[in-house]
Amino acid sequence: MLSISAFANSTEWQTYKQQDGISVTYKTHQNGIIEISASVLVKNAKAHDFMALLSDTDDAPNWLENVKSVTLMERLSPSETLVYTHFNSPWPVSDRDLVSYSCYHRLSEHKTELKIISQPHAKPAVNGVVRIKDLTAFWRLTHQQNDLLVSHQAYADPAGSIPHWLSNKVSLKSVFKTLQSLRKELSYNRFTRLNTPSVPGKCAS
């Protein structure tokens, strides 16, 4: 268990956990909110497998920690989507939700990236749920022969009255568990490919 002092302001990346082939690091912004960087290597997987998993929104709660539901609001183009995510929060903390624009694009021959930016005004507020208004993140997918290195980086202001030290600890634990579950889902193909995943293209911003 991390102590509050572990989240002292720092511009340097610090290690939260390196275990079971998963690495999770963080750095603290001046406002006390952490930015998280994490990675996991998935054997015998391709970027298309990961994108197919993402498109299976019904399966999202099985691997995205603390996620109640994911809904595809609109496919803006073959590479762009508008997505609504509802997060579970333990009582007495209010649930959070997020409206996000995602764009899938190619960085190099063997590397692609899904970048995610909050779009809080693209859907009316939901009663009893706190809207996350400030989020930037990406999933970076790198082919290494037959394997896939999945890297994730995210910064999000949880909004509301939840203390940053608490939201930071929950976020770190959630990312680690998410990567554990992600690897299982991809390794055993525990998702449907009925939906059409995004393909690399151009991003609006």
Side-chain angles (χ1 to χ4, degrees):
M1 182 174 180
L2 293 180
S3 65
I4 298 175
S5 62
F7 297 110
N9 286 354
S10 173
T11 57
E12 302 295 330
W13 290 102
Q14 301 181 57
T15 299
Y16 164 69
K17 186 179 289 189
Q18 289 183 334
Q19 181 180 317
D20 193 29
I22 298 171
S23 173
V24 179
T25 62
Y26 69 93
K27 65 179 177 180
T28 311
H29 288 232
Q30 289 186 347
N31 59 8
I33 300 172
I34 61 170
E35 182 174 358
I36 298 176
S37 181
S39 64
V40 61
L41 184 69
V42 184
K43 298 291 186 180
N44 300 311
K46 303 295 182 185
H48 184 78
D49 299 328
F50 176 84
M51 296 307 296
L53 173 60
L54 279 188
S55 70
D56 184 5
T57 53
D58 290 340
D59 188 55
N62 292 329
W63 66 277
L64 287 169
E65 190 72 10
N66 298 326
V67 165
K68 181 177 182 180
S69 64
V70 175
T71 304
L72 175 63
M73 295 174 56
E74 184 178 357
R75 181 168 290 281
L76 305 171
S77 77
S79 60
E80 301 168 288
T81 57
L82 198 63
V83 175
Y84 175 75
T85 306
H86 187 146
F87 298 93
N88 281 320
S89 296
W91 186 90
V93 178
S94 298
D95 282 3
R96 262 62 178 170
D97 67 3
L98 169 71
V99 182
S100 58
Y101 162 81
S102 300
C103 182
Y104 187 45
H105 62 120
R106 188 170 298 282
L107 297 176
S108 66
E109 181 182 358
H110 301 292
K111 184 180 297 185
T112 55
E113 180 184 83
L114 180 73
K115 69 175 186 177
I116 304 168
I117 304 171
S118 54
Q119 298 287 324
H121 304 297
K123 177 181 173 66
V126 178
N127 289 336
V129 181
V130 177
R131 177 65 47 86
I132 296 174
K133 297 180 178 179
D134 183 9
L135 175 140
T136 55
F138 67 71
W139 290 96
R140 192 166 290 163
L141 312 171
T142 306
H143 286 131
Q144 297 184 351
Q145 297 182 343
N146 294 325
D147 304 329
L148 183 68
L149 178 63
V150 180
S151 303
H152 178 56
Q153 192 164 317
Y155 168 88
D157 185 338
S161 59
I162 182 173
H164 291 331
W165 67 264
L166 178 57
S167 63
N168 289 341
K169 292 169 75 171
V170 170
S171 295
L172 286 165
K173 185 176 181 179
S174 295
V175 167
F176 186 83
K177 287 189 173 182
T178 290
L179 291 189
Q180 282 184 314
S181 299
L182 165 65
R183 183 168 55 193
K184 289 181 181 179
E185 295 288 311
L186 290 179
S187 298
Y188 298 105
N189 288 310
R190 294 177 180 170
F191 55 95
T192 178
R193 297 173 184 268
L194 296 178
N195 298 320
T196 302
S198 296
V199 296
K202 294 184 178 181
C203 299
S205 58

